[in-house]
Amino acid sequence: MGVELLRYDADVDSTYESHVSTTAQAYDTIAAEYVTLVGDGLASLPLDRSIVSAFADLVLRDGTGPVGDLGCGPGYVSSYLHGLGLKVFGVDASPELVGHARRIYPDLQFSVGSMTTLDNADETLGGIVAWYSIIHAPPVEIPKYFAEFHRVLAPGGHLLLAFFESEEGPLVPFDHKVTTAYRWPVGHLAEVAAAAGFQEVGRMLRQPLESERFRRGHLILRKV
């Protein structure tokens, strides 16, 4: 699928709302089990921590505003960013996961909401993290996410994406344990982001661990 087929189209809005509702309900159903499974999701992942730390350094260097952990789940990335000195808030479409995040990290701010209709004013965020939180979105809807990220980020603000990488094969769906997800070629996702007004700063590919199925992709992007 070419990048030209992945530009924002308002006609996908109704499909998007249905997709988000379905995904949120799926996570609500298994929220307690999911929280137990992921635990402190970065504790045993030194390479993953390193790119989150690099992202935090970039945001702190520029000092352009708070960071939104969008699709925050149970909040472990928010907590890690807070520990690195960032002012951070989390948003997730799953009320159950937000409830767990508030219980586990009571000193942080979490709210139920949509990643593509944020309450934040234009150009007010210094950074955004979408840590495996766009993986369930049908590819045609990804530009809608990037458009909102671009709206709320301050000029020069940074975006960190984590996703399942297709090992430069085609963009393909797979049977994620919660609900259907997609594996992206890292270069393709970077091109879609570029079409939405982002410049690549860096990328990291990590081979799957023994308990994992797929290679992990990470992109740091800058709003231009």
Side-chain angles (χ1 to χ4, degrees), residues 146 184-195 198 200 203 219 221:
F146 284 146
W184 281 83
V186 62
H188 187 175
L189 190 58
E191 289 175 350
V192 177
F198 289 94
E200 181 176 342
R203 63 178 67 182
L219 280 169
L221 305 153

Side-chain angles (χ1 to χ4, degrees), residues 28-43:
D28 280 346
T29 299
I30 54 87
E33 177 184 354
Y34 181 78
V35 170
T36 300
L37 177 66
V38 300
D40 181 353
L42 294 172

Side-chain angles (χ1 to χ4, degrees), residues 79-90:
S79 176
Y80 189 75
L81 291 169
H82 176 72
L84 294 175
L86 291 172
K87 181 179 180 181
V88 60
F89 65 91

Side-chain angles (χ1 to χ4, degrees), residues 168-191:
E168 289 304 322
L171 197 171
V172 289
F174 72 95
D175 57 338
H176 188 277
K177 291 181 179 179
V178 180
T179 186
T180 300
Y182 295 84
R183 297 172 62 196
W184 281 83
V186 62
H188 187 175
L189 190 58
E191 289 175 350

